Amino acid sequence: MAFTNSGFPEIRAIFLAQFHPDQGPIVRMSVPEDAVDVGENAYTDTGATNRSSELRDTGAMGRVMSPSSNFAHEPEVVELIKRTSARGGPNLVDSSKIDFNSIQTLIIPKLTLFERLITVNTGRFKVMCYPVAIEGNYARNVFIFNMCFAFDISADTKCYGPVVKRVGSLLKELEVTGRLLSDVAGTRALLTMMRQLVNKLNDHGEYQIELDLKGLSQPMASTGISIKLFPYYENPATIEAFHVPVKLVDFDVARRKSAQTVYQQHASNDIMWDLVLDKVAEGIDNVNHVRRIARQAQIPEPTVVLALQHLDYYGCIALVDIFQFSNVYEAQARVKDVMRNGWLQRECHAYVTRDGQAGTVTIERLIQLYATVRQRRTVAEWVVDNCIDVERFDVRRFIVFGVLHGMLRRVHCFPVLCTSVESSHNGSPRTGSNSGSGSGDEEPLKLEPRVVAMLDGTHHLDEICVAENKDAAAMRGLLDQYGEIEYVHL
């Protein structure tokens, strides 16, 4: 049984490609044996043949693999688009096999791509590899190989990046110390390793084997290999002071589970957790923004941000905007998801209806309400237009649920200072009255220079309000008094 239930894609094939000194790029072995279609023109890439001479003659190998090389600034992961078959058309290629002819120049690539993760799509497959070149006493003075992993074209292979890189680095070490790949005597050990890689990683998500290297290297008669798949998590999102963290898990349950994991026993009531996380978690009520949480917990804001990034990384929280009835939202195409997803309908109904009021709002009504959220209408106007009883219906939860599931998008307001302070009112900003009818002795309204700098159309009103610790209405009043402001909604 494949291990795909845990979110790991299934390996469809593994094949070992090498650069033959006479034939060029070849497929030395594969698992399954007929997984790769090499074709009749697989060994006629003269450009690839010249690449070996390029590596030998220029001495560029050391520069490519050195951390201080000229290529150190280039990304370690290279995504390549689908390649066309080199044999004249798709009708001549077996779609159930990997067309090696169309990707051989990427499997044995230019010198700048050695020891970098490469992903290339071909036909129905996504091939992930880590090409390696070793200088030494070989034909052409260099040995080039690439252990390639093939997956379905739609598979998310991010979790296999460390595995592919580790296998390539390990084979390089075994070749340098024991000639595992270049010596024919190592063929059986290689084939055994490849077969078990496919079976063990697909079935169990991990792989352990003791390779028999007798006859190859006396210092290394055997070596153990251990590989394990781990879920891939995206880097923590950038968290700003105006973001509002929303709980996705019960923190009390999370504390107890973490304690059970650490101590391998039933957790007691006295649970040890990070002190900063404890204080930050107390301030997360799905309403407070980051700066307010930091002030309430009396913890420096950068420290609070780090704690929230940790929670976000493991899926304990999500980030939304500050909810106000003056906000503007618009419905997205994913509103149709709630129409045909029964689980999402039940979750939405349970989340937005107040305690004891579940029967007063039907699921059909919720779907209709999401479809009526339109741009240029504030939440307050939307409530009035749809005659919503806020005593029975939690408007904030309704909006937050829609934002979290991609059914609603916040339309932010970006204030832009159109008339500079110097050019208005003979070089002075407006006074405290918006109509300008105040006495001539009134002091002109002043804003902090950092606030004026934010009126360039790149900072939305939520960000400015949090920076000044004011609500949206008060901030708009100050801005309107200061100068001619244009509000752009995006």
Side-chain angles (χ1 to χ4, degrees):
M1 180 181 66
F3 200 60
T4 51
N5 290 337
S6 295
F8 300 119
E10 184 175 1
I11 301 174
R12 294 301 181 184
I14 292 180
F15 63 94
L16 176 63
Q18 289 184 197
F19 184 86
H20 193 277
D22 299 322
Q23 297 174 326
I26 64 170
V27 176
R28 179 175 168 183
M29 60 183 72
S30 66
V31 176
E33 294 183 3
D34 59 347
V36 183
D37 182 7
V38 295
E40 58 184 7
N41 297 326
Y43 313 135
T44 59
D45 182 14
T46 57
T49 305
N50 292 335
R51 281 194 294 277
S52 178
S53 299
E54 177 187 16
L55 297 176
R56 179 194 63 201
D57 297 337
T58 62
M61 289 304 302
R63 295 198 301 271
V64 173
M65 299 180 189
S66 172
S68 59
S69 68
N70 294 332
F71 307 104
H73 64 280
E74 297 185 4
E76 290 191 0
V77 181
V78 181
E79 297 282 345
L80 299 169
I81 61 174
K82 180 179 178 181
R83 306 289 294 190
T84 310
S85 172
R87 281 174 281 165
N91 295 332
L92 300 178
V93 180
D94 187 350
S95 61
S96 64
K97 298 182 180 181
I98 302 167
D99 182 17
F100 182 71
N101 237 20
S102 64
I103 60 173
Q104 60 176 319
T105 57
L106 306 174
I107 300 301
I108 308 296
K110 295 288 187 180
L111 60 89
T112 55
L113 296 180
F114 280 112
E115 299 204 9
R116 301 181 191 277
L117 284 173
I118 297 177
T119 303
V120 56
N121 296 343
T122 175
R124 296 165 46 191
F125 299 96
K126 178 183 292 186
V127 179
M128 199 172 190
C129 57
Y130 185 77
V132 176
I134 304 172
E135 286 185 319
N137 187 21
Y138 301 100
R140 299 179 181 267
N141 298 325
V142 64
F143 181 77
I144 303 173
F145 71 92
N146 197 349
M147 184 68 80
C148 306
F149 291 66
F151 307 88
D152 289 331
I153 188 71
S154 59
D156 184 0
T157 58
K158 293 177 181 177
C159 61
Y160 268 92
V163 172
V164 175
K165 188 174 181 178
R166 175 170 167 76
V167 170
S169 301
L170 181 63
L171 290 177
K172 176 186 177 182
E173 181 181 350
L174 293 176
E175 170 60 26
V176 171
T177 58
R179 298 277 178 159
L180 175 65
L181 285 82
S182 58
D183 194 330
V184 179
T187 301
R188 176 175 294 183
L190 270 175
L191 195 55
T192 300
M193 184 188 74
M194 292 170 63
R195 286 172 178 167
Q196 293 200 15
L197 269 174
V198 174
N199 296 331
K200 297 295 184 180
L201 291 180
N202 282 343
D203 293 344
H204 307 291
E206 59 183 21
Y207 166 77
Q208 287 183 325
I209 187 177
E210 191 78 16
L211 277 181
D212 185 6
L213 303 179
K214 293 179 181 178
L216 292 175
S217 175
Q218 194 64 29
M220 295 183 62
S222 64
T223 184
I225 302 175
S226 298
I227 294 174
K228 184 176 177 63
L229 287 171
F230 292 94
Y232 177 84
Y233 296 103
E234 296 287 349
N235 290 331
T238 301
I239 298 180
E240 303 291 350
F242 52 84
H243 282 145
V244 176
V246 177
K247 295 180 183 178
L248 299 182
V249 298
D250 188 334
F251 285 166
D252 291 333
V253 175
R255 287 190 187 96
R256 296 186 180 278
K257 284 190 175 182
S258 63
Q260 292 175 15
T261 301
V262 172
Y263 300 110
Q264 297 297 318
Q265 60 185 9
H266 179 70
S268 64
N269 292 329
D270 186 18
I271 297 174
M272 299 175 63
W273 214 22
D274 183 87
L275 295 179
V276 173
L277 280 178
D278 242 346
K279 296 289 290 184
V280 170
E282 291 176 3
I284 299 178
D285 60 355
N286 303 342
V287 176
N288 290 338
H289 52 73
V290 173
R291 182 155 295 173
R292 183 178 296 169
I293 292 174
R295 288 173 178 170
Q296 291 179 352
Q298 298 182 353
I299 298 175
E301 188 174 313
T303 306
V304 173
V305 169
L306 288 176
L308 292 175
Q309 284 182 327
H310 182 80
L311 294 174
D312 180 49
Y313 183 78
Y314 288 104
C316 298
I317 62 170
L319 301 173
V320 297
D321 55 273
I322 300 173
F323 175 80
Q324 299 178 90
F325 279 93
S326 59
N327 290 356
V328 178
Y329 296 87
E330 65 176 0
Q332 300 295 289
R334 293 192 64 180
V335 169
K336 62 184 179 183
D337 292 348
V338 76
M339 298 180 183
R340 50 175 180 251
N341 189 327
W343 174 85
L344 193 61
Q345 293 174 4
R346 292 188 294 271
E347 287 291 312
C348 179
H349 188 262
Y351 188 74
V352 304
T353 52
R354 299 186 183 276
D355 295 339
Q357 305 293 334
T360 60
V361 181
T362 64
I363 294 177
E364 291 76 11
R365 175 63 171 163
L366 288 177
I367 298 174
Q368 180 186 13
L369 288 175
Y370 274 119
T372 59
V373 179
R374 294 184 178 88
Q375 195 172 351
R376 298 186 182 281
R377 303 290 290 174
T378 65
V379 175
E381 294 170 337
W382 173 81
V383 169
V384 174
D385 292 344
N386 291 276
C387 302
I388 294 176
D389 186 357
V390 294
E391 296 295 330
R392 301 178 177 180
F393 185 88
D394 195 323
V395 178
R396 181 190 63 80
R397 283 178 165 240
F398 175 84
I399 296 296
V400 169
F401 189 90
V403 172
L404 290 178
H405 290 83
M407 295 183 289
L408 297 179
R409 183 185 72 87
R410 170 73 186 278
V411 180
H412 281 287
C413 175
F414 293 84
V416 181
L417 181 63
C418 297
T419 303
S420 64
V421 176
E422 292 78 7
S423 62
S424 62
H425 294 277
N426 296 324
S428 299
R430 295 185 186 184
T431 58
S433 174
N434 195 27
S435 61
S437 58
S439 63
D441 297 333
E442 291 184 8
E443 289 292 330
L445 179 66
K446 294 182 179 180
L447 290 177
E448 294 289 338
R450 59 186 176 85
V451 178
V452 177
M454 298 174 75
L455 304 178
D456 58 355
T458 62
H459 303 272
H460 52 72
L461 195 59
D462 281 3
E463 183 177 357
I464 300 174
C465 289
V466 171
E468 288 296 288
N469 195 26
K470 298 182 182 298
D471 59 58
M475 198 70 232
R476 274 186 179 242
L478 289 176
L479 295 180
D480 290 338
Q481 294 174 29
Y482 183 76
E484 184 179 347
I485 304 292
E486 185 73 26
Y487 295 97
V488 180
H489 291 81
L490 295 174

